[in-house]
Amino acid sequence: MTPAPDPEEAQAAIEYCYAQGWSDGLPLVPASQPLVAKFLATTSKDPDEVIGELEQVGRNCTVYLAAINAAMAGCLPEYFPVVLAAFDALMRERAARGGGWQSTSGPAPMIVVNGPVRHELGFNTQGGAFGPGFRPNATVARAIGLIVRNAFGIRPHVLEQATQGLPGRWSICLAENEEESPWPPFAVDGGLQPGTSAVSATLLRTCEFVDNRHTPDPGQVLWDVADTISRTGSLIFRDTSAGVVFCPEHAQMLADAGFSKQDVQAWLIEHCGRTGADLRRAGKNGLRGIARFADADTSQDDTFSRILPSPRHIPIVVAGARNAAISMVVRIFGEWSGTAGPVGVSS
Amino acid sequence: MPYPILDPTGTTATRTTRPPRARRRRDLRGATVGLLVNTKQNAAPFLDEVGRLLIAKHGATGTMARTKVNFAAPAPDDLVKEMTTGCDVIITGIGDCGSCSASAVADGIAFEAAGLPAAAICSDAFRVTADAMAELRGAPGYRYATTPHPVAVLTADQVKERAARVLDDVMNLLTEPE
């Protein structure tokens, strides 16, 4: 039998990592050359290849640095291609390349995993989709947070200026429940073939549940979703973007009533919005360019303003257990690029 | 210990040379004041008023206002070039968010390197991130002007009052030798 590791050595190594300022607040796995070599062996990419650059802070991330951070986050080496695909997906998002990581809104990446890799690596595709409890989901998301902190140097209270941040900032990695979804996988919306192991990502400002389990009428469920999407609190520009992570029960109810994903998106584009009077009450009825401001003008009080400009502004994912009709509205920071990337293939 | 614990930051080199600081003018008489507006709420009227006061009280002859479309990123090279050609001093701001405060300071440093005295204006809630950016750009201790937070909710009259209050600091930044 292998002797148990020396806890005092382990504790000293963990404290060393804290002392360097590398931690997100939780203990890190100290990364060593042999461990990181196992990560690098899972990809054909050169360790020195730059996979992300943040021009405004003059920093970049190489495959090697990503591997160290993934190891420290608690990933197994075989998760590394998913970490790379997730990071790649995020770097395609305009908000993440711009000032998103520094923003007062403190946005969280939402990573969506599709395809066979979900089961190969043991991602949770069922209940508790937003976590916690499952190593691949938890550590892939955490790896991204550590890359931003360490490789890009965006640290809280310094270059990161989140006013309150949001729960789950470095922990949202959903594996879509494709088996119980009535619709094509999310990665197909991102331009890939069904059955591809793929990762999509965007930035969120928060999530809000829609608990609607007492109606058999899909129209009522959609009204409930629309009401949640249409809150004034999240409206800062003329348009907004809000995804829906449907639970399997809601998705199946909608599909049984004949709604494709595109039908749901079209319904929400039509019905999400507020009247001028509602917006004025919240000081958001005026428009200066695309930014909302408080305007005393009451002439638009009776006008209904739609807020979702296109289907790409309402990404739809199916996740969670089939045990209750509870879905989640996710509020997107900026807008989703509309792309998915395959796992293990250079972009 | 057989293996060292690996560093996840990739930072080893530290810059030793300070970026250049533009030669200061004695005053602003006859100067064209460049206003680099970052689109944050109230930034345009705030900088316009600073420009107006520099003309009225300090003899500047005019202003040239340009808008930076992406407030989070440093000003693009062609914009820096255009303003460097057309202006004598630069005012940039208002740094009033996580990324734009840092980038307002980065812009100030870029204009200094291009030979123009610059004054960045940030909300005082963002000093730490502005200072961190200065350090990243190899200009630790870079001086900029601050105005009390918040800026976005100010009325038109309050914006004018704020502009008047920050004017001496802006003048000092543009004319005082280090």
Side-chain angles (χ1 to χ4, degrees):
Chain A
M1 203 177 99
T2 318
D6 179 345
E8 290 194 352
E9 281 289 323
Q11 288 152 11
I14 288 168
E15 288 305 324
Y16 175 86
C17 294
Y18 273 116
Q20 310 308 309
W22 297 336
S23 166
D24 52 11
L26 296 173
L28 297 167
V29 174
S32 61
Q33 189 275 325
L35 177 62
V36 170
K38 288 182 195 165
F39 281 70
L40 295 172
T42 67
T43 174
S44 58
K45 286 175 186 270
D46 188 295
D48 292 331
E49 183 183 334
V50 173
I51 52 172
E53 198 159 6
L54 218 49
E55 184 205 349
Q56 65 267 39
V57 294
R59 296 279 287 265
N60 63 42
C61 180
T62 58
V63 171
Y64 177 68
L65 283 181
I68 297 176
N69 282 286
M72 287 177 33
C75 290
L76 288 173
E78 54 266 39
Y79 304 169
F80 191 48
V82 179
V83 172
L84 289 174
F87 187 66
D88 221 29
L90 276 165
M91 292 309 290
R92 285 196 298 271
E93 299 297 291
R94 198 173 71 83
R97 286 195 310 276
W101 306 126
Q102 298 160 261
S103 171
T104 47
S105 48
M110 180 174 83
I111 300 160
V112 181
V113 183
N114 280 108
V117 74
R118 295 168 305 139
H119 299 307
E120 289 161 12
L121 297 179
F123 278 89
N124 171 37
T125 64
Q126 300 281 317
F130 282 85
F134 301 89
R135 185 172 180 176
N137 307 67
T139 59
V140 167
R142 188 188 189 201
I144 300 298
L146 291 178
I147 289 171
V148 170
R149 178 187 180 90
N150 292 317
F152 284 166
I154 310 285
R155 298 186 177 197
H157 293 191
V158 190
L159 287 171
E160 192 260 70
Q161 288 286 310
T163 305
Q164 295 185 317
L166 60 107
R169 187 168 193 199
W170 305 116
S171 60
I172 303 174
C173 177
L174 310 171
E176 189 165 40
N177 188 343
E178 295 177 28
E179 289 70 19
E180 293 183 291
S181 169
W183 295 318
F186 186 56
V188 172
D189 302 337
L192 300 183
Q193 291 298 315
T196 310
S197 287
V199 183
S200 321
T202 192
L203 295 182
L204 301 188
R205 290 204 56 169
T206 197
C207 308
E208 183 177 357
F209 68 92
V210 179
D211 188 328
N212 191 321
R213 42 184 139 180
H214 301 295
T215 173
D217 180 350
Q220 289 178 321
V221 170
L222 287 175
W223 274 114
D224 217 6
V225 171
D227 187 77
T228 304
I229 288 176
S230 304
R231 299 207 190 292
T232 58
S234 64
L235 283 178
I236 49 176
F237 300 113
R238 182 189 59 210
D239 298 330
T240 192
S241 175
V244 186
V245 179
F246 279 109
C247 64
E249 187 177 330
H250 278 156
Q252 288 168 13
M253 177 200 275
L254 288 160
D256 287 347
F259 281 91
S260 66
K261 216 188 266 190
Q262 290 73 22
D263 294 334
V264 172
Q265 289 166 324
W267 195 98
L268 291 171
I269 288 173
E270 179 69 19
H271 293 89
C272 291
R274 298 299 285 249
T275 64
D278 288 347
L279 294 166
R280 188 167 56 77
R281 215 163 34 213
K284 293 181 170 180
N285 56 321
L287 279 177
R288 205 174 275 134
I290 57 162
R292 293 187 174 276
F293 75 102
D295 192 339
D297 177 24
T298 59
S299 67
Q300 300 299 309
D301 273 12
D302 295 330
T303 307
F304 182 78
S305 297
R306 294 188 175 82
I307 52 177
L308 295 169
S310 84
R312 193 166 51 77
H313 292 77
I314 328 166
I316 290 176
V317 179
V318 176
R322 52 176 290 276
N323 58 5
I326 307 170
S327 293
M328 193 76 91
V329 166
V330 294
R331 303 214 174 266
I332 293 172
F333 181 78
E335 59 190 63
W336 177 46
S337 64
T339 65
V343 174
V345 180
S346 304
S347 62
Chain B
M1 197 187 294
Y3 292 106
I5 295 177
L6 299 180
D7 182 333
T9 66
T11 49
T12 45
T14 49
R15 267 189 260 192
T16 49
T17 52
R18 284 180 68 104
R21 184 171 185 264
R23 245 184 91 181
R24 269 29 210 174
R25 299 173 61 98
R26 196 164 301 165
D27 55 48
L28 293 192
R29 272 178 292 185
T32 299
V33 179
L35 306 174
L36 180 54
V37 179
N38 68 355
T39 73
K40 296 305 282 189
Q41 179 89 348
N42 276 333
F46 195 121
L47 294 196
D48 281 347
E49 179 65 6
V50 170
R52 194 189 67 78
L53 292 171
L54 291 176
I55 293 169
K57 299 192 173 196
H58 295 281
T61 48
T63 59
M64 173 176 162
R66 290 292 181 271
T67 300
K68 190 165 76 161
V69 181
N70 181 0
F71 63 69
D77 290 345
D78 53 349
L79 183 59
V80 173
K81 203 171 168 189
E82 184 199 356
M83 295 190 81
T84 306
T85 310
C87 308
D88 300 298
V89 295
I90 293 288
I91 298 167
T92 171
I94 303 293
D96 193 28
C97 74
S99 56
C100 65
S101 305
S103 80
V105 163
D107 288 338
I109 294 167
F111 279 108
E112 297 283 353
L116 253 59
I121 306 175
C122 291
S123 141
D124 64 3
F126 293 98
R127 279 178 202 272
V128 177
T129 202
D131 291 344
M133 177 55 85
E135 202 152 320
L136 273 177
R137 299 280 154 156
Y142 179 79
R143 290 168 57 213
Y144 51 90
T146 61
T147 189
H149 190 80
V151 173
V153 297
L154 300 179
T155 63
D157 286 344
Q158 289 170 326
V159 167
K160 286 186 177 164
E161 187 235 330
R162 285 291 190 84
R165 267 167 65 190
V166 83
L167 195 69
D168 285 351
D169 289 346
V170 167
M171 270 305 286
N172 288 340
L173 286 170
L174 296 176
T175 58
E176 226 171 49
E178 202 164 25

